[in-house]
Amino acid sequence: MTLEGKSLIGQQTVSGKAGKIRGIDPATGEPLEPAYAGAGQAEVELACELAWAAFDSYRETALEARAAFLETIASEIEATGESLIQRAMAETGLPQARIEGERGRTCGQLRLFASVVRAGEWLDVRIDPALPERQPMPRVDLRQRHIALGPVAVFGASNFPLAFSVAGGDTASALAAGCPVVVKAHSAHPGTSEQVGRAVQAAVAKCQLPEGVFSLLFGAGNEIGQALVSDARIKAVGFTGSRRGGTALMTTARMRPEPIPVYAEMSSINPVFLLPRALEARGQALAEGFVGSLNMGAGQFCTNPGLVVGVKGPHLDTFVEAAGKAVAASAAQVMLTPGIHSAYENGIGALSAHARVREVARGQVGETPNRCQSGLFVTSATDFLAEPVLQEEVFGSTSLVIECTDSDEMHRVAERLEGQLTVTLQLDDGDIEAARALLPTLERRAGRVLVNGWPTGVEVCHAMVHGGPFPATSDSRTTSVGSAAIQRFLRPVCYQNLPQGLLPEALRDDNPLGISRLMDGKRDA
Amino acid sequence: MTLEGKSLIGQQTVSGKAGKIRGIDPATGEPLEPAYAGAGQAEVELACELAWAAFDSYRETALEARAAFLETIASEIEATGESLIQRAMAETGLPQARIEGERGRTCGQLRLFASVVRAGEWLDVRIDPALPERQPMPRVDLRQRHIALGPVAVFGASNFPLAFSVAGGDTASALAAGCPVVVKAHSAHPGTSEQVGRAVQAAVAKCQLPEGVFSLLFGAGNEIGQALVSDARIKAVGFTGSRRGGTALMTTARMRPEPIPVYAEMSSINPVFLLPRALEARGQALAEGFVGSLNMGAGQFCTNPGLVVGVKGPHLDTFVEAAGKAVAASAAQVMLTPGIHSAYENGIGALSAHARVREVARGQVGETPNRCQSGLFVTSATDFLAEPVLQEEVFGSTSLVIECTDSDEMHRVAERLEGQLTVTLQLDDGDIEAARALLPTLERRAGRVLVNGWPTGVEVCHAMVHGGPFPATSDSRTTSVGSAAIQRFLRPVCYQNLPQGLLPEALRDDNPLGISRLMDGKRDA
């Protein structure tokens, strides 16, 4: 595919007048062609105008038509073929198998949302029929469904150039909810973004939807993102990235005349608790599993295990020693961008220099630019509890082991954790009661609790929660992965005493959509 | 019941050291005994400490135990008998039938939430079983349920001393969700608050729940409320009141180190659209129904019809004339507090003085203190669209009629409305197509759309939405009335690969709670 280096606004290709952006091959540090013309206020204005014009029509598309649209996006992405894979590899330094797997995940996610749209659970239909004879007062007919919030601004993430980017989970769930989407492309992978954007643009045309259902804007710096979130026609925001970036968008969104929800997935260190019997029985194997998870994708996952908690003693020593050896042997992988690499170097430098932290091992040094040298560090629970800075995420393959004196101290560490996407328990049969005692704390601190697995790898399914208390996300009531992500972009509306002919299809007596409904509080499906 | 004039913290009765508060009989302006000792930082601290201590235990109460607790609160409120009714009448100026009806509504609401707790839909259980054979990667076992957010701060409203106060909808739904509640009593009805608070306190003891499940604090001014919302152990806020009060709490909540959700129900003028055929056929009857709704409770409802929109002409003139006559004949009812009365006088004075507004009628003048003199005003759509101040809520029995030149202008008025709790359509068969054209705009602007009714009167049921876009509420994704209100105080947690013995009951294979679950995306009930 020939890349044009321009924003996609509705069915148009628009060249902005703001600063140019270029992708960079992080493996070499070389810039990639073409340069992307940055969009400005005029392009934000046009994209929002088209999105608003599309909204009332798009949000009432038939379930089947909307599902088919999501499936068409998936097919169009697949049709970009090798061109997309090669460009994504060049822009991210990620290997082919990973990018291919991520494409599969992205298209699978679009198809999952197509099935979610068809099933209609997201409409949360509730019908309380009139009770004209009720005493002391009759009840009128009341029916509830959910409708789309409005156009959504989506910010692509750098670390998943497909699955959390232009047609990733935020876009798929917003489109599934009936919201037009305006994407601000991540500047780290503009060519990948353009190709996926063209696939969505083609799907809009094929499905004969209003063009404003989707736009893709390129732009350096924060200005275009701020302009987008400030626009009165944008009614919600999806974001995956840094805590600083996410909280800046939260501030902008709440300073608007009409505040809007921001779904920012920001930072998490994903603690792993090694319970005593498991640690005793399989410290070596745990170390191997842990370092495998730590090194995956150069540690550039939201769910990377950045903290390990265990009770001090010979079994924890065995684990640390084995993990240290594995870290020392770790090859230096290319990181996503020079900026991420330099932030990693700063973060790990601060850990190394910290007076209360001991360096256990560092991985191999890279010979070429932007390589991630893994790291493993140890500190005591006392120091961890005294130093909030040790909870800050270092984005990359590094982790900190916390030595506790006993299970009470382990509990205190758990209680003091900031909000997390995940917490993991490694346990054996003899640890069940200890786990039971920890669970109430852990589920208060995280969106997902795992047993005997590793936090990397987030299944896209109905039961997934990729979310958690602040600062893991801006809104712990939601998930950004899995079918429940659609609920972020919906709000309930109640219809009182409407004639059948005016009611939305979902609420009509004859249930033409054939969906599950709550009738007088009881499920009728 | 002998009133003690003290805060209720857990099972204790605590006398604060801050300024004293007294209820006032608005019908006479006379202060009522006893004086209430205002709580301060020490009482906030104690209430939050107890709430936090109760949280992990209370949120895991068996469904039946939690439901029985809600029912016990209802019985205990009923057991306060005539004492509660008389005190509420004295503190609010509301008539006996209204207070008795509101007690019925409040107890009915608690019992509705008991049934909601038992049904377990709120747990939103989703189970995606392991798929060990799946290619290219097996799927692990993933299960989701919802858990309580944490202790909730509830601010009682002045206009529903029972149904939106100490044991009102916010408290009932938060307790149903498994959240301890700390109520800041509204200073307009402290004696009513104490009696209801004692009923809840007694229910906590009878049900042998941890005492911190409920506390009730009295306090003048904003300090105690701000301290409560700032406390790290409070995880959500429920509020019904003014836009100024609600936005102040929103600001405090988002400036915390850990921002928390605020559910503030604030202001709404509840537009009524009179469509042409309905106006032609029954202008007189519409005027009577409208003024009846306008005058209900001296107009002190969140859903009071403060705006009427119609197409200028003889039929609208007939309506305005008839409504004006009814308003002129309206008796002056006692308002809730001297403060509300003086705010009403200011608001209606500004309308009267506005150069673009014509006064149609004023109701009878009160002979005693704090009486609401009803009002009806008219302006043109052009002026309404040009003057945002005309959308500001005047809390009381007054309304503004907007004369449009045609249906296009009516549509422009609809599009320009701020977020509302309700919008109403008065229509006849010949108006259906006009209504269909307006509906997409109306449902974007409001939480509830009514046909041929009046917005006052909010049914407590499963399909109700008492919510709407800002500034009607702080969060359009929710409702503060009806069973869906429970969802405000919950968040999802995913459990990955937990042994059956560690799983919460709701997620076990054998479904011991017998609740409806989403299995692999399909409902199994």
Side-chain angles (χ1 to χ4, degrees), chain B residues 226-408:
Chain B
Q226 292 293 335
L228 196 52
V229 174
S230 303
D231 192 285
R233 291 159 294 197
I234 294 294
K235 301 300 185 187
V237 179
F239 169 89
T240 300
S242 69
R243 184 165 173 175
R244 195 165 57 88
T247 51
L249 293 180
M250 288 166 71
T251 301
T252 303
R254 69 201 183 201
M255 300 300 284
R256 295 163 42 120
E258 177 193 21
I260 55 173
V262 172
Y263 303 105
E265 193 246 276
M266 297 181 288
S267 80
S268 181
I269 54 174
N270 305 294
V272 177
F273 288 79
L274 307 174
L275 297 190
R277 296 291 82 74
L279 194 56
E280 182 179 346
R282 48 192 171 95
Q284 178 77 33
L286 287 175
E288 285 162 17
F290 161 66
V291 177
S293 177
L294 181 70
N295 281 337
M296 196 177 286
Q300 301 166 117
F301 286 117
C302 318
T303 52
N304 192 57
L307 201 73
V308 179
V309 188
V311 173
K312 194 174 166 67
H315 303 307
L316 185 59
D317 292 344
T318 302
F319 170 86
V320 169
E321 191 182 333
K325 275 189 190 156
V327 163
S330 300
Q333 298 173 77
V334 179
M335 299 194 87
L336 292 158
T337 71
I340 285 174
H341 179 256
S342 94
Y344 177 74
E345 290 286 311
N346 288 340
I348 205 164
L351 269 180
S352 280
H354 198 290
R356 308 299 186 133
V357 171
R358 175 169 65 85
E359 181 177 302
V360 176
R362 295 297 307 273
Q364 295 178 24
V365 178
E367 302 291 318
T368 52
N370 304 316
R371 296 268 166 177
C372 176
Q373 189 191 2
S374 304
L376 186 67
F377 299 85
V378 174
T379 193
S380 71
T382 313
D383 289 331
F384 179 78
L385 293 170
E387 304 269 343
V389 68
L390 296 178
Q391 284 206 45
E392 284 177 14
E393 182 182 33
V394 178
F395 194 68
S397 292
T398 191
S399 195
L400 179 62
V401 179
I402 311 297
E403 296 177 332
C404 305
T405 51
D406 55 23
S407 66
D408 282 357

Side-chain angles (χ1 to χ4, degrees), chain A residues 276-345:
Chain A
R277 297 291 82 76
L279 193 56
E280 181 179 347
R282 47 191 171 94
Q284 178 80 33
L286 287 174
E288 285 161 17
F290 161 65
V291 177
S293 177
L294 181 70
N295 281 335
M296 196 177 285
Q300 300 165 119
F301 286 116
C302 318
T303 52
N304 192 58
L307 201 73
V308 179
V309 189
V311 173
K312 196 174 166 67
H315 303 306
L316 186 58
D317 292 344
T318 303
F319 170 86
V320 168
E321 191 184 334
K325 275 189 191 152
V327 163
S330 300
Q333 299 172 75
V334 178
M335 297 195 87
L336 292 157
T337 71
I340 286 174
H341 179 257
S342 95
Y344 177 74
E345 290 285 312

